[in-house]
Amino acid sequence: VRETKLDLQRVPRNYDPALHPFEVAREYVRALNATKLERVFAKPFLSSLDGHRDGVNCMAKHPKSLSTVLSGACDGEVKIWNLTKRQCIRTIQAHEGFVRGMCARFCGTSFFTVGDDKTVKQWKMESPEYGEEEEPIHTILGKTVYTGIDHHWKEPVFATCGHQVDIWDEQRTSPKCSLTWGFDSISSVKFNPIETYLLGSCASDRNIVLYDMRKSTPLKKVILNMRTNTLCWNPMEAFIFTAANEDYNLYTFDMRFLESPVMVHMDHVSAVLDVDYSPTGKEFVSASFDKSIRIFPVDKGHSREVYHTKRMQHVITVKWTSDNKYILCGSDEMNIRLWKANASEKLGVLAPREKAAMNYNQKLKEKFQFHPQIRRIAQHRHLPKSIYCQIKEQRIMREARRRKELNRRKHSKPGSVPFVPERKKHIVAVVK
């Protein structure tokens, strides 16, 4: 007997499968409904931050504050945004010409910018006091244009790239060491977040070069078929990094075995311009010249999600926020867009029952993910016509190349046309 009317009666349940012959059928229907509802509620776009007067060229995350993000534009303007209010809280005219790169200091008190005017400037993160001038803390005048900058994760050291990779101490106006290998412009440099003395850089002579700050010499480099635009280190696995390439692909490498990439990620139909890892290290987001951004699982060759809007032009820069919930992308047409990392996720506080239902649905979707109906619904995405046509065209081209190779192999001496795995096709050489 219930003691009060609010008591719930315990219902004894026999889990013997013989007594529940339709259990799988029932779960399948639930999984199908959950998958359909996920697509119904997939509304990833949250808002756009507008205020720039030229294309957004680079962005940086604040290391301590989730709601602060910095962006630099092609007219030399830097803006600091508050994401909770979705408005600009400060604007600085930082450089003449493009802002080529920016990064925040690991403590979050200041940030660095580099531009076309051959200067490196350090700025305070706080707004100036009333009546104070908006001026940088330090300005370093360089000899050549700097194209990228990144700060060390623990020490007052930062690296810039351009004609060569320079390692700077914050207190000095000349680099403490310069690293070169080959003679070409270097487009981006990134510190490893775990093994903090390692750096990676991408040069326009198709190289990805790895350096060690303690030895002050380059370690090794891998040469690809086409130029790499930028790379990003995995924040959870010290040796893994992903490179965004001109040949529409992304390559995930293990820096110990550069002979072949761990995974080739294909889906974009134009050059990939930027890549950023999620803080969990399980996924990354890539920005492309084909006016879309895609989210890839690290261990899969194809994207799980593609985001685009009608107004979005070539996406130049992309960032994944440090709480793993949102993605920011900056594009040619002066807007920064805020997206959900999980398209159908419900924002705000969830009731315990909602949470339980969500987890149950997630498990059902995982259990039945390979059933044809469910797989078709889960993978279907509407694409802009231009991307859709290009995907079709590239599929035909790939098929033609494959056919040609098969024919050549068929009509040649056995063993004279070797099988080259997809992962090895794009690597030219590894130099140590």
Side-chain angles (χ1 to χ4, degrees), residues 4-167:
T4 70
K5 66 175 182 183
L6 297 175
D7 277 2
L8 292 175
Q9 292 281 17
R10 274 198 68 188
V11 181
R13 174 143 186 245
N14 190 339
Y15 287 99
D16 178 12
L19 298 176
H20 301 284
F22 296 118
E23 188 174 33
V24 175
R26 208 173 288 134
E27 281 190 343
Y28 174 74
V29 170
R30 283 175 189 169
L32 192 62
N33 287 341
T35 312
K36 285 177 181 173
L37 284 175
E38 182 192 42
R39 297 312 312 144
V40 167
F41 289 123
K43 294 194 168 41
F45 180 71
L46 291 172
S47 74
S48 79
L49 312 171
D50 46 352
H52 275 297
R53 289 173 302 191
D54 209 333
V56 182
N57 202 39
C58 53
M59 286 197 293
K61 292 185 281 199
H62 192 293
K64 297 286 168 75
S65 153
L66 282 177
S67 60
T68 311
V69 70
L70 307 102
S71 66
C74 298
D75 57 354
E77 207 172 52
V78 168
K79 282 185 182 284
I80 301 177
W81 304 88
N82 184 332
L83 291 181
T84 39
K85 295 179 184 166
R86 297 183 189 170
Q87 63 191 39
C88 174
I89 49 178
R90 185 168 160 218
T91 305
I92 309 163
Q93 187 58 45
H95 294 276
E96 303 286 322
F98 284 36
V99 180
R100 286 289 173 189
M102 59 197 311
C103 65
R105 201 170 183 273
F106 59 90
C107 60
T109 53
S110 63
F111 65 93
F112 295 82
T113 61
V114 293
D116 274 355
D117 50 5
K118 304 183 186 177
T119 56
V120 182
K121 294 184 181 180
Q122 183 181 3
W123 307 83
K124 272 198 191 133
M125 196 65 86
E126 279 83 45
S127 303
E129 301 293 323
Y130 179 72
E132 228 183 313
E133 285 290 312
E134 182 77 87
E135 290 203 332
I137 312 171
H138 297 301
T139 304
I140 299 168
L141 285 168
K143 294 186 177 68
T144 56
V145 172
Y146 297 113
T147 54
I149 185 168
D150 198 29
H151 202 285
H152 194 283
W153 290 77
K154 289 182 180 150
E155 292 167 22
V157 171
F158 64 92
T160 60
C161 63
H163 184 57
Q164 60 198 21
V165 173
D166 294 324
I167 312 284

Side-chain angles (χ1 to χ4, degrees), residues 285-387:
V285 58
S286 64
S288 169
F289 199 75
D290 65 15
K291 310 178 188 179
S292 68
I293 59 175
R294 285 180 184 267
I295 302 172
F296 291 87
V298 172
D299 51 353
K300 299 273 194 304
H302 292 285
S303 60
R304 73 161 172 87
E305 200 62 81
V306 54
Y307 293 160
H308 53 85
T309 68
K310 270 190 178 162
R311 291 185 181 182
M312 189 152 77
Q313 294 301 311
H314 313 305
V315 193
I316 298 171
T317 172
V318 71
K319 283 275 176 275
W320 198 309
T321 57
S322 308
D323 60 351
N324 198 28
K325 272 192 181 306
Y326 305 103
I327 287 167
L328 289 148
C329 71
S331 51
D332 252 359
E333 78 325 322
M334 309 180 268
N335 267 349
I336 297 167
R337 288 183 173 78
L338 183 65
W339 308 83
K340 285 192 263 189
N342 188 358
S344 56
E345 185 180 25
K346 187 183 172 200
L347 298 179
V349 183
L350 292 179
R353 281 184 65 180
E354 278 183 304
K355 230 179 241 172
M358 255 175 50
N359 294 339
Y360 177 56
N361 285 343
Q362 191 55 41
K363 279 285 172 248
L364 282 178
K365 281 183 286 195
E366 279 168 31
K367 181 176 175 180
F368 292 96
Q369 63 183 341
F370 296 113
H371 280 243
Q373 277 295 80
I374 287 178
R375 190 169 169 195
R376 185 184 64 79
I377 294 167
Q379 289 188 347
H380 181 75
R381 295 289 179 280
H382 281 294
L383 290 170
K385 192 174 178 189
S386 57
I387 297 180

